[in-house]
Amino acid sequence: MSEENWIEVGSTDSIEEEDLIRFDHQDKTFCVYKLTDGFYATDGICTHEAVHLEDGLVMDDEIECPMHQGIFNIKSGEAISPPACEDLKTYLVKVDNDKIFIKID
Amino acid sequence: MKNNIIILGGGQAGIYAAREIRQNDSKSNIKILGEENLLPYERPPLSKDFLLDKKKEEDLYFYSSDVLKNENIEFENISINKVDFENKKLFAKNDNVYSYDSLLISTGSENKKLTLDNNLKNDIYYLRNLEEAKKIKEIVSNKNKITIIGGGFIGLEIASSLSQLQKKVIVIEIGNQLMGRIIPKQIADLVQNTHIEHGNEIILNKQIEKITKKNGDYGILLNDNSLIETDFIIAGIGSTPTVKLFENTNLKLDNGIVTNQFCETSIKDVYAAGDVSNFYHPFYERNMRLESYQHAQNHGICAGKNIAGVKTEYSSIPWMWSDQFNLNLQLTGICDEYDEIIERGNDINNGVIYFFLKNNKIRGACGVGIIGKVGRDIRITSKLTEKDNIVDKQILSDQNLKLNKLIQK
Ligand SMILES: Cc1cc2nc3c(=O)[nH]c(=O)nc-3n(C[C@H](O)[C@H](O)[C@H](O)COP(=O)(O)OP(=O)(O)OC[C@H]3O[C@@H](n4cnc5c(N)ncnc54)[C@H](O)[C@@H]3O)c2cc1C
Ligand code: FES
């Protein structure tokens, strides 16, 4: 994949630890998380019924959907608690000069 | 030792119990007996996305037949109509007999029926299972003015879905607010306003005197002598635990099957879980019966562990949701035992939550808001409830202060 696919999300201090921000790019929505060991990114919409995960709760390595408490692992995207059953897509993240970038394919 | 484990009732609690037993016990025979000729499926979409055609039948199943086969869990479509707890046997209508060493009862709940003095019994529709949902979906496609009797969660969800299908919907509720007294009146009113804004008519405080039929249409006479004309009637007037089968047995019943915190009933080797069980909750130190998705799942899992010999207490803080139009309502804990109520927010666009406190500790909360707006705070509330600490009321009442501060404290 080419360098162009790395999109700048914002500065590293724009996210509190154990929290997330929503990032919209073209017609897609992403969530970018700051966990204790670094930054991660997933699709921003729950795979269950299309609600924005930006309003969800980040706990340890998991994001819990605000609508029906479906839970996903932030690092792998795995759906780990129903009613969510379809995995969440994850994206590569890099930090360069205190800026966060995600790789969109 | 190899056991015969039977799960009576093939719904949500039943399937989660079966898989949990298998996780802890690779040898026993596990058989689910279910009277619906369907593998266990999710009911919440029946009143919502299934009616709206956003979810299809195949989207509703918890697990495929392959998963059951791989885990050696048998599902048999049969209706049980007699039990003999003494000799550990179940009897089916077709004379089949099933012997068990351990039994889980997960027969769920059933809809209360209207008592009508004429023979219009078959003209009133109810919604509990997929078959009924399919029927309703098919018939409403040719109807325009639909009346829902009962302003509870399921009735209102159907009202929301049918309105989205461009139907004229009337909801008749006997009480003075929607969704029962357990929901704060202010929240019920916010939900009611949303229904009205979408064109639904809500009639409160009215009882049905009589229903008549003429030329295929119905007239519903209310106790103030007003007449509602309608071409289709659905009733959602509450439910009762499915326990008829056990009424003349030794099994202790009281608003469902009485169980302790280990899902054990009054009879040895007989367990109950899900909607049918009135279980002891050690945190609240009382019995309760819940009809909720999350409870059916977690209670089933807990029963499965106990049946497999892994003694596990059930102390999950209750939680449920309802989706109507663009609103998501959530309840956590219990909202009927409190000495103080604290309000957080007053605008449905940002979410509105009522906390119920006793001795300065949270016992439960009810919130409603545009989809996504109350979930995180309600989830944090469940955690705060579990922690059982005295809470800072200033943070609870001020929407500008984040609730997770209270967890970190
Ligand atoms: C329309 C609808 C919408 C809902 N929406 C929500 C929601 O939005 N949020 C939420 O939290 N909860 C919701 N619920 C509640 C939730 O679905 C239930 O609490 C849950 O399904 C209970 O699971 P259960 O296993 O106890 O019972 P069920 O899933 O009802 O399963 C019981 C099964 O046992 C079978 N059975 C009974 N007697 C016998 C017998 N004698 N022999 C053989 N089989 C038998 C029944 O046919 C049934 O298949 C909704 C329920 C309905 C009906
Ligand atoms: S929308 Fe996320 S779990 Fe349902």
Side-chain angles (χ1 to χ4, degrees):
Chain A
M1 241 172 274
S2 69
E3 274 296 305
E4 285 95 71
N5 290 329
W6 287 102
I7 310 286
E8 185 182 327
V9 172
S11 68
T12 47
D13 57 14
S14 60
I15 319 179
E16 287 174 40
E17 192 157 305
E18 286 267 297
D19 207 353
L20 83 169
I21 54 162
R22 169 175 165 181
F23 172 64
D24 292 340
H25 179 68
Q26 287 163 355
D27 56 351
K28 287 205 71 182
T29 293
F30 306 88
C31 282
V32 183
Y33 310 80
K34 184 176 186 178
L35 303 182
T36 45
D37 63 351
F39 294 91
Y40 295 87
T42 67
D43 264 342
I45 307 263
C46 182
T47 57
H48 181 236
E49 278 175 18
V51 66
H52 282 281
L53 289 170
E54 69 170 319
D55 295 316
L57 183 64
V58 179
M59 279 177 302
D60 305 320
D61 289 351
E62 294 164 6
I63 170 76
E64 191 174 280
C65 173
M67 196 163 169
H68 307 128
Q69 295 190 357
I71 301 177
F72 303 90
N73 181 294
I74 292 168
K75 297 180 177 175
S76 67
E78 190 192 351
I80 49 182
S81 181
C85 56
E86 203 182 305
D87 293 350
L88 200 58
K89 199 167 164 12
T90 57
Y91 299 87
L92 288 175
V93 181
K94 71 172 181 187
V95 174
D96 199 353
N97 267 328
D98 294 332
K99 297 235 175 320
I100 311 166
F101 296 82
I102 62 174
K103 192 166 195 174
I104 298 172
D105 39 36
Chain B
M1 198 186 75
K2 192 167 163 170
N3 268 309
N4 272 328
I5 300 169
I6 290 195
I7 295 173
L8 174 57
Q12 184 168 10
I15 186 67
Y16 276 96
R19 294 199 68 202
E20 189 63 30
I21 296 169
R22 184 54 83 220
Q23 288 235 320
N24 294 284
D25 168 355
S26 58
K27 294 202 186 70
S28 293
N29 297 319
I30 305 174
K31 190 179 232 177
I32 303 176
L33 305 177
E35 70 187 357
E36 290 182 80
N37 193 11
L38 298 164
L39 290 178
Y41 61 91
E42 296 187 324
R43 292 177 205 274
L46 297 182
S47 46
K48 314 177 189 84
D49 280 2
F50 182 77
L51 284 185
L52 290 170
D53 237 356
K54 289 192 197 159
K55 277 207 167 111
K56 306 257 174 274
E57 173 170 344
E58 57 271 23
D59 302 325
L60 305 183
Y61 296 104
F62 287 108
Y63 301 105
S64 66
S65 53
D66 286 347
V67 170
L68 298 194
K69 209 157 127 200
N70 286 341
E71 297 183 5
N72 198 13
I73 295 168
E74 216 186 313
F75 179 90
E76 189 174 331
N77 171 220
I78 193 94
S79 177
I80 294 299
N81 65 350
K82 201 177 144 214
V83 287
D84 175 354
F85 288 122
E86 200 144 323
N87 296 301
K88 295 188 152 187
K89 283 186 178 15
L90 305 176
F91 302 88
K93 276 194 189 118
N94 64 359
D95 293 335
N96 278 5
V97 183
Y98 302 86
S99 298
Y100 64 82
D101 298 300
S102 302
L103 173 68
L104 172 66
I105 302 171
S106 49
T107 46
S109 51
E110 53 202 34
N111 290 325
K112 283 186 191 160
K113 299 283 158 81
L114 283 174
T115 38
L116 297 168
D117 54 9
N118 50 19
N119 57 0
L120 288 179
K121 218 170 67 192
N122 296 330
D123 290 62
I124 315 285
Y125 286 75
Y126 299 86
L127 179 55
R128 169 73 33 193
N129 58 42
L130 184 59
E131 201 185 308
E132 289 164 339
K134 280 185 185 165
K135 241 191 255 165
I136 289 176
K137 194 163 146 180
E138 188 193 314
I139 299 175
V140 293
S141 64
N142 304 312
K143 305 287 179 189
N144 295 309
K145 196 175 172 195
I146 296 156
T147 301
I148 316 276
I149 301 177
F153 289 120
I154 294 181
L156 291 173
E157 288 175 357
I158 300 172
S160 149
S161 300
L162 296 183
S163 162
Q164 292 173 69
L165 294 172
Q166 319 307 327
K167 307 292 175 189
K168 166 79 192 143
V169 182
I170 302 162
V171 177
I172 305 172
E173 163 60 40
I174 193 170
N176 66 356
Q177 69 165 76
L178 295 175
M179 298 177 291
R181 275 170 301 165
I182 207 106
I183 302 293
K185 172 97 167 58
Q186 295 86 337
I187 287 192
D189 289 347
L190 289 170
V191 172
Q192 177 171 336
N193 291 344
T194 299
H195 276 262
I196 292 169
E197 277 162 22
H198 284 86
N200 286 354
E201 189 180 340
I202 308 279
I203 301 173
L204 297 176
N205 280 315
K206 295 287 178 303
Q207 225 165 322
I208 289 160
E209 290 288 320
K210 206 162 113 188
I211 301 179
T212 51
K213 186 176 183 182
K214 203 172 158 191
N215 301 330
D217 288 338
Y218 303 93
I220 304 176
L221 182 69
L222 301 179
N223 57 341
D224 63 351
N225 269 328
S226 55
L227 184 74
I228 311 278
E229 287 176 339
T230 187
D231 54 12
F232 190 61
I233 304 174
I234 303 171
I237 53 167
S239 50
T240 52
T242 307
V243 292
K244 202 155 190 281
L245 201 53
F246 318 111
E247 267 162 9
N248 296 312
T249 69
N250 294 332
L251 189 65
K252 190 169 175 204
L253 302 177
D254 176 14
N255 178 30
I257 300 171
V258 178
T259 55
N260 63 14
Q261 62 268 51
F262 304 108
C263 307
E264 295 163 336
T265 69
S266 60
I267 296 178
K268 191 172 175 302
D269 299 326
V270 178
Y271 301 75
D275 282 9
V276 76
S277 139
N278 181 358
F279 64 99
Y280 179 75
H281 198 299
F283 177 79
Y284 291 105
E285 297 179 325
R286 65 176 235 201
N287 272 65
M288 58 178 79
R289 193 173 76 78
L290 301 173
E291 293 179 7
S292 101
Y293 181 96
Q294 187 221 36
H295 168 66
Q297 173 187 318
N298 293 345
H299 209 210
I301 291 173
C302 184
K305 286 198 164 80
N306 285 301
I307 291 169
V310 184
K311 193 107 178 164
T312 309
E313 191 176 81
Y314 186 74
S315 58
S316 190
I317 300 293
W319 175 76
M320 64 88 62
W321 83 86
S322 172
D323 299 326
Q324 299 166 38
F325 295 106
N326 55 346
L327 297 183
N328 172 242
L329 180 147
Q330 300 194 11
L331 266 171
T332 182
I334 56 169
C335 306
D336 62 353
E337 254 183 40
Y338 56 87
D339 52 30
E340 188 176 358
I341 298 180
I342 292 180
E343 194 181 329
R344 180 180 177 86
N346 52 22
D347 177 359
I348 210 146
N349 292 303
N350 301 323
V352 178
I353 297 182
Y354 282 74
F355 299 97
F356 297 87
L357 280 75
K358 197 171 172 188
N359 302 328
N360 302 311
K361 295 172 176 176
I362 301 177
R363 305 292 279 176
C366 175
V368 73
I370 298 298
I371 282 167
K373 291 304 165 203
V374 293
R376 176 164 40 195
D377 282 351
I378 289 285
R379 182 66 176 105
I380 295 172
T381 306
S382 306
K383 287 173 167 287
L384 288 171
T385 307
E386 210 165 16
K387 279 191 147 191
D388 206 24
N389 290 339
I390 290 181
V391 283
D392 181 339
K393 295 175 194 169
Q394 175 66 28
I395 298 184
L396 288 187
S397 63
D398 185 348
Q399 217 162 23
N400 298 315
L401 301 176
K402 280 191 174 180
L403 274 195
N404 43 7
K405 286 205 176 117
L406 291 170
I407 296 195
Q408 288 149 6
K409 277 190 174 180

